[in-house]
Amino acid sequence: MPDISLTIVVVLCLASLAAGWIDAVVGGGGLLLLPAMLLGLPGGTPAAYALGTNKAVAIVGTTGAAVTYARKAPVDVRLAARIGLAALAGSTAGAFVAAGLSTDVLKPVVMVVLLGVGTFVMLRPAFGTAPSTEPVSARRVLAAIGLAGLGIGFYDGLIGPGTGTFLVLALTALLHFDLVTASATAKIVNCCTNAGALATFAWKGTVYWQLAALMAVFNLVGGTVGAHTALKKGSGFVRVVLLTVVFALVANLAYQQWIA
């Protein structure tokens, strides 16, 4: 446990609660939790400890949300697991590439893509509001494994922020899911990427386990409540949260790129 004040611990736990809720509804909880970790840990703490502890917290909330969704939402667990295994491989490859590549050159590209996605969702009110009645073709399943699995998994290992949001968008577009089903499937895929990353950080010894355990309780509550909220409110509500998170992510990346 790092030497931090009780006030900071309380703030981190509340941030973990809110991040769990956001992540369960539409992804993007890391936009709140990771900066809170970076600011809350003592000065001079290597960033790897914030990243590792963040993953140890996030995997608990993500798993809780995934279980809640799997019980009440029409989730194809086998398909989600196939995409998740591809995402695990992609995130591992991304982590290796990240070691020798500056991600700053990629951030403007990600911002442009997100702005395009946000504009598309705004102009298409029906996007993700109802599932398609047509069966999903094998070609679309392979595309989802390639893009949502390998591609976004690679992004998660390389950069990270907004992975859950990208997964929701990709699954909705490729497999014609409604936004609630896409969020549910994304949680299962996210469990795989988080597990791979956590294993790496644990192996390197860069996880504050006591702090993570405390924060994980709040993240689990937030994730479970968020999943119930999404299931109750439906795709229209998820769409509003999705747009909010997309533009928050753009603002966050722009700040990192040009101001910080």
Side-chain angles (χ1 to χ4, degrees):
M1 186 84 165
D3 184 19
I4 56 178
S5 68
L6 178 60
T7 301
I8 295 298
V9 171
V10 171
V11 170
L12 289 177
C13 287
L14 293 176
S16 183
L17 178 71
W21 187 90
I22 294 170
D23 212 42
V25 174
V26 76
L31 289 172
L32 174 62
L33 187 55
L34 185 56
M37 290 289 299
L38 291 169
L39 291 173
L41 292 178
T45 301
Y49 281 89
L51 293 168
T53 306
N54 174 63
K55 284 297 181 185
V57 173
I59 194 172
V60 176
T62 299
T63 302
V67 171
T68 301
Y69 275 125
R71 288 176 176 173
K72 297 187 177 182
V75 183
D76 187 336
V77 177
R78 291 183 62 186
L79 174 59
R82 290 164 64 189
I83 299 173
L85 288 174
L88 178 60
S91 63
T92 302
F96 275 108
V97 173
L101 177 68
S102 172
T103 58
D104 289 340
V105 298
L106 298 177
K107 288 178 182 177
V109 177
V110 175
M111 281 186 278
V112 171
V113 171
L114 280 170
L115 284 172
V117 165
T119 303
F120 173 82
V121 174
M122 288 181 66
L123 295 177
R124 295 284 297 274
F127 179 75
T129 56
S132 172
T133 56
E134 299 179 3
V136 179
S137 66
R139 181 178 297 179
R140 285 188 173 272
V141 171
L142 288 175
I145 292 173
L147 178 60
L150 287 172
I152 296 177
F154 183 85
Y155 169 82
D156 191 25
L158 188 66
I159 303 178
T163 295
T165 305
F166 276 127
L167 284 171
V168 171
L169 291 166
L171 293 170
T172 303
L174 292 172
L175 301 180
H176 295 161
F177 288 164
D178 63 85
L179 288 172
V180 172
T181 303
S183 291
T185 307
K187 290 305 102 190
I188 298 175
V189 177
N190 232 171
C191 284
C192 295
T193 59
N194 283 340
L198 178 58
T200 301
F201 287 119
W203 177 68
K204 292 182 177 181
T206 55
V207 179
Y208 288 129
W209 291 107
Q210 289 177 302
L211 178 61
L214 181 61
M215 293 174 62
V217 174
F218 288 83
N219 197 253
L220 177 61
V221 172
T224 304
V225 172
H228 280 294
T229 303
L231 288 166
K232 182 179 179 180
K233 298 289 188 179
S235 295
F237 172 78
V238 175
R239 181 176 181 272
V240 173
V241 179
L242 173 65
L243 286 170
T244 302
V245 171
V246 164
F247 289 114
L249 179 56
V250 171
N252 178 270
L253 290 173
Y255 175 82
Q256 292 180 8
Q257 182 73 17
W258 292 300
I259 300 177

